[in-house]
């Protein structure tokens, strides 16, 4: 790291900083310019936050040189990680489309959803059994009953199941039914949950916090990896900006940026980002062009009857049309959509 | 609510929307303009999100008239709520200053902190036993040992104890030692935690999510109140903006806005918002001028040795000087700082 | 518009609001609910801002029903506008790629740039003669000499010329040389400039302000159109968010949103949005997949020697590779890249 | 500056970077760590942007050590600048309140405003003759007629006049009548305007751009100072964030931050920041507590009849009450409000 001393820092203050760095095991190098003195320090980056150098008299600012994440970084692992979900591969040449309703509402709704997203070419079924809702008065999900319906849908269609886990206490229950656990955007920095999910032997989709920087997002992945679970899939789902016409702003540039900084696969959820079905298809196509390894798309047999997020759900026919376009775009980049397996 | 139909919505589509609204128990009124048809609907606002009207063909947008929160609203309760913390009152004419280190680090550090913040006039002691840290490699808190030290500090000084609860599973433990439970910014929409903390008979400080709107913040308070705990204290602690010189941007206008929309008391945490001790004192004074009912301020006997957030902690002498200014500002508005009780 | 009265507004206050609306020529409709009284008002939307209803006693808020722009709206003109730039069409089935260096630096640099972007398939040449620079000490452009070089490059290659106009006083000079005038992001709400450019008989590229909402952006287009120039091309170029890894956040969802709200064509500038050449190509491809009508891409014969924005400029070979991908993506959507004309 | 090389940068690439730095007159120092090589470079900071180092092969990032502004920095001038406006001083122990209507609407409205703000204790009169309006259909100001009325108000009351200059072409006209020129938020980076206003011998209020960083804001001040006009007053007026309940988010922490980084005085405009009169008074008081040297407050004899920004204007009686509070808060910090001079 680089420690920049203020323009009035005298030798005493500089000495104290040097001492502290040495005591913490850093090698230091002092460089006196006309206007500023700077100290270069080489050592364990992960200890930097705990050193509190910026609280020391005379210190103007501290600039890290290395990234604060290790296991998640491309420097740690050169080749891209392929996460296996049963016989499916995510992160390789196949793009996996995960589709389905926002919430599991009933047996009919879910099974119909499963059949139609499979028919259109999805390989995985999404659907919430536990629903984080802004209002305490909104539908909160069917909980275990919803999980059972998801498992039934898998048995009938062969689709893999993705569903959200909202609290550490429900991890065992969710893990019993799901193929992939999803950490929602509001829980990206729920460190208790991250530590517990790290102990489960299932892939985890880690959604980006709605105002998380890319670095914070990778640090959250680091929590899961440091705990022993390397099967982390990052999911860009829109960030909060001043623009209100769309629900959030889909930051597609996060896709190539993650590919550069990390070896982990990255997927995109255009439905939650945009919040209006009309704009979901073009953004799904754009996500594939930007290099996404998968998509999470809300599809509902009848969006206007949905108990949750109907306004952003595609109808079956819109979804079918979209899948054709996605296949075309994937082909331009030498990729193809994953193929649903029969039962 | 108001439903605005698109400029090409025909009578059929309008009829379908009217039907759905009536079925859901809303009274409707149709108004046909030259360019748009709009439907007014009067009924239960809390059901609006579940109606998915924006997914219906022909609907352009839906505009709520009433706020989505009830128990937290000023319309529900005209006079301001005073939360009692033992013999202290928060929300009345006295302003309570909660001060102390970011994290409980050791017996010496905590007891010294407690003595000096009390001497300067604080009435409550803050200190984290469970620490949410961006990096898995940073100090994560002393956990129960830290809670015990906090209780010891209370016994010695009479200061009330505020500390963070990070996960539903640790609520019983934290509630055993603390006078006030704090929900951190990353957990503002951890709905599991909100529902569980609602069952505890202790005041709760609910920090604003770092990118939460004021409405979402009040909805989070509504979760706690709807669960039975009315002793909610809102805490503005900075929001995430594009400006990076300060850690976050302290949104002081939230103070009078909350006072207008809600009857709940509101306090301010300038330390976490700004992230640099140098700017904490002026913002603390500004918070009192803006009408805050209390302050949460990081003070450390030796900030440069702190294991957590040293750069934003005041030294004892800076804190003492600040307390004098705060007293002056409070006086301009006919208020005064709460007075620490002897043992 | 809808006027929502506060829950304590009495009949007197309501009457005063009704009077003002009627005097301003609005037809009104009163609706009394249990908790709120609301007033619907039908009339000239463009007068709403000047009515200051929210300043009237008893008024809680005012909700517009119609958009504040007219000429720029899809409701005003159903079919998409095709802007003609000589023999090129922008907004139809052909996608026009405008490429070239950030700034015109020298005759050699510009002519080489022109030749190579044409060879790769661009139909228009971009290059700044007047440069808005954050620092007064940075290179500010060659001014008229730069314009002359652009004209020479056109003569040699047949490429159309796009260049920025920074101040109303220089419009005549710039318009003498350029085929398309560009309004930069910092000038999107320079209303003097908008009014003057409205009088010129040349297409105008209107870049989105770095923190402009889509509505404000369309209002800026409205200024130009209301002044008589209907040949407006909107350009998404990234918005300011909290994320700092990229220079700005490219809001690609603005592309389908603009297509929905307006008949005007929309292009994308990934270079300025991202600020790092490495991520420009995937975002350019994503822009085409999202439905953009054109692209503005920085290409420099030798980015590391560029006087301006080198870090975001593509090398000639990267640009060539990108153009092949863009052709592929365009084809998926039944479009193709415009073809450069010979001399 | 510090140049951080990528982890795969070989000696050749490092050599090329060193060469370029030396050629540009920088002294360099190479430091090879286990994971990264970094190059320290000492030289002219203002040349950094033009070096395009980040475009060079092998370079990962470039970190500046010094601030990019010079004349505006506290390092350049230790003591705070006091700007003289006739016999008034801004930046010293007196706090100047500038009040008046958003726009000059008529002789009656303006003279009445002038009389009442003076009676309440304001020392300067604000009022717009040229109005930047989002909509081309809104009232755009009385232009020169408005300027003449402002001058008349000065003659009658002795109040100094502050008014906005929107375009370089109108500077001579505005400077003829005004005591202080104001650069509006949308023009903070209108570099043509900044360069022209630098040539005028009048104080300039430079409003912060609605999404400008503090550094960009100081760079805009640097433009004016580099052009020869050192009488720059910075004005915080709210920044654009995701929160929509207030018009913008008033960033009061900018006040102490500017005081730390720069010697220039800083004032606050709570009216435009908040957009709702109800919250203006507490934020004005908070601004004084945060250390502001002055305030810009909208006051209108009859806000509900205002042609512009009525919803954010104080009534005369609200303004009067506020002035008493401001005096109290100023006193806590050993300051006082400036005193209006008689005629």
């Amino acid at each position: 790291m680089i420690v920049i001393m203020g323009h009035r820092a005298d030798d005493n203050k500089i000495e104290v900083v040097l001492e502290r760095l040495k005591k913490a095991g850093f090698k230091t190098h002092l460089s006196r310019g006309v206007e500023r003195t700077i100290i270069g320090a080489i050592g364990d980056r992960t200890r930097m936050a705990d050193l509190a150098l910026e609280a020391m008299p005379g210190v103007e600012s501290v600039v890290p040189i290395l990234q604060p994440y290790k296991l998640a970084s491309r420097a740690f692992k050169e080749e891209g990680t392929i996460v296996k979900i049963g016989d499916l591969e995510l992160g390789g040449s196949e793009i996996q489309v995960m589709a389905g309703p926002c919430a599991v509402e009933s047996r009919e709704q879910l099974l119909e959803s499963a059949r139609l997203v499979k028919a259109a070419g999805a390989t995985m079924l999404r659907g919430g059994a536990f629903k984080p809702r802004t209002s305490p008065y909104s539908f909160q999900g069917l909980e275990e009953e919803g999980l059972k319906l998801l498992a039934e849908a898998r048995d009938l269609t062969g689709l893999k199941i993705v569903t959200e886990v909202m609290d550490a206490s429900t991890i065992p229950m969710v893990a019993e039914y799901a193929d992939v656990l999803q950490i929602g955007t509001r829980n990206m920095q729920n460190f208790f949950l991250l530590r517990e999910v790290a102990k489960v032997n299932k892939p985890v989709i880690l959604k980006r916090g709605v105002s998380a920087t890319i670095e914070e997002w990778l640090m959250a992945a680091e929590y899961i990896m440091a705990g022993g679970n390397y099967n982390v899939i990052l999911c860009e789902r829109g960030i909060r900006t001043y623009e209100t016409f769309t629900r959030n702003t889909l930051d597609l540039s996060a896709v190539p940026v993650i590919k550069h900084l990390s070896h982990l696969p990255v997927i995109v959820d255009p439905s939650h980002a945009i919040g209006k079905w009309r704009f979901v298809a073009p953004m799904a196509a754009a996500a594939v062009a930007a290099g996404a390894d998968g998509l999470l798309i809300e599809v509902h047999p009848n969006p206007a009857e949905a108990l949750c997020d109907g306004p952003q759900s595609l109808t079956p026919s819109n979804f079918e049309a979209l899948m054709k376009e996605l296949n075309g775009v994937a082909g331009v980049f030498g990729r193809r959509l994953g193929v649903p397996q029969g039962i």
Side-chain angles (χ1 to χ4, degrees), chain A residues 7 42 47 66 88 115 121-122 132 145 159 186 198 209 260 271 282 292 311:
Chain A
H7 65 284
I42 294 170
R47 296 214 41 202
L66 296 177
L88 294 178
R115 271 189 295 261
E145 189 195 329
L159 292 167
R186 293 176 184 82
H260 177 62
S271 305

Side-chain angles (χ1 to χ4, degrees), chain A residues 68-77 81 218 221-230 261-264:
Chain A
Y69 44 87
K70 295 198 148 179
L71 306 173
S73 75
R74 183 69 81 169
F76 175 77
K77 180 164 175 290
T81 287
L218 287 170
E222 188 85 5
Y223 259 93
I224 301 174
M225 299 176 82
N229 187 344
Y230 279 43
L261 297 176
S262 174
H263 55 87
L264 295 172

Side-chain angles (χ1 to χ4, degrees), chain A residues 100-332:
Chain A
C102 174
V104 181
E105 299 168 16
S106 70
R107 189 165 183 277
E108 291 67 33
Q109 173 247 21
L110 188 71
L111 298 189
E112 190 183 340
S113 298
R115 271 189 295 261
L116 66 89
V117 302
K118 184 178 181 187
T123 51
M124 300 177 67
L125 177 67
R126 58 146 294 150
F130 295 89
K131 296 303 306 171
R133 300 302 297 273
T134 304
S135 167
Y137 311 120
S138 294
F139 174 64
Q140 311 269 330
L142 296 181
E143 308 196 352
E144 188 159 12
E145 189 195 329
L147 294 171
K148 286 180 179 161
L149 292 173
L150 286 164
E152 184 181 350
R154 172 179 47 207
D155 292 345
L156 288 171
T157 59
L159 292 167
K160 306 298 179 209
I161 298 302
V162 188
T163 198
E164 180 164 349
V165 58
M166 273 182 66
D167 188 77
S169 64
T170 59
I171 290 177
M173 189 205 292
V174 176
E176 191 187 327
Y177 298 99
D179 297 296
V180 178
L181 303 183
Q182 179 181 308
I183 307 269
T185 184
R186 293 176 184 82
N187 278 322
M188 191 202 82
Q189 290 194 319
N190 182 335
F191 302 119
F192 258 75
L193 183 57
L194 297 180
R195 276 195 288 255
E196 291 306 311
V197 97
K199 300 172 186 161
V200 177
N201 187 20
K202 297 253 175 177
V204 175
I205 290 178
L206 179 66
K207 286 201 163 184
R208 182 180 185 178
V210 76
S211 66
T213 61
I214 286 170
E215 188 172 295
E216 288 167 342
W217 190 15
L218 287 170
M219 287 306 286
E222 188 85 5
Y223 259 93
I224 301 174
M225 299 176 82
N229 187 344
Y230 279 43
N231 292 305
V232 178
I233 300 159
L234 299 165
C235 178
E236 161 65 31
R237 49 76 66 215
I239 61 174
R240 179 151 272 178
T241 70
Y242 67 84
E243 176 61 67
T244 56
F245 191 86
T246 47
R247 187 157 92 162
N248 295 123
T249 297
L250 186 65
D251 177 14
L252 276 187
S253 58
V255 173
V257 168
I258 287 288
K259 290 280 172 198
H260 177 62
L261 297 176
S262 174
H263 55 87
L264 295 172
V266 57
I267 66 173
V268 172
D269 174 353
S271 305
H272 282 86
I274 310 297
K276 299 182 177 178
W277 66 267
R278 192 187 298 280
F279 309 117
V280 168
M283 296 318 286
V288 171
D293 296 309
L295 289 165
L296 208 46
I297 295 179
E298 283 193 11
V299 180
H300 194 284
N302 186 353
E305 300 288 340
L307 290 184
C308 164
D309 284 346
Q312 72 200 30
S313 296
L314 294 187
T315 60
S317 64
N318 285 334
F319 179 62
E320 219 178 308
L322 169 61
M323 290 296 277
K324 295 209 176 79
E325 287 180 353
L326 296 183
N327 243 320
V329 177
V332 174

Side-chain angles (χ1 to χ4, degrees), chain A residues 31-86:
Chain A
S31 169
R32 290 182 193 271
V34 184
E35 302 186 61
R36 288 285 189 289
T37 293
I38 64 177
I39 301 169
I42 294 170
D44 183 358
R45 165 71 169 92
T46 62
R47 296 214 41 202
M48 192 181 118
D50 288 341
L51 274 175
L53 293 166
E54 279 169 313
M56 299 185 74
V59 173
E60 188 172 292
S61 60
V62 179
V63 180
I65 300 300
L66 296 177
Q67 297 139 339
Y69 44 87
K70 295 198 148 179
L71 306 173
S73 75
R74 183 69 81 169
F76 175 77
K77 180 164 175 290
E78 195 69 44
E79 72 282 13
T81 287
I82 293 179
V83 172
K84 296 215 169 136
I85 306 159

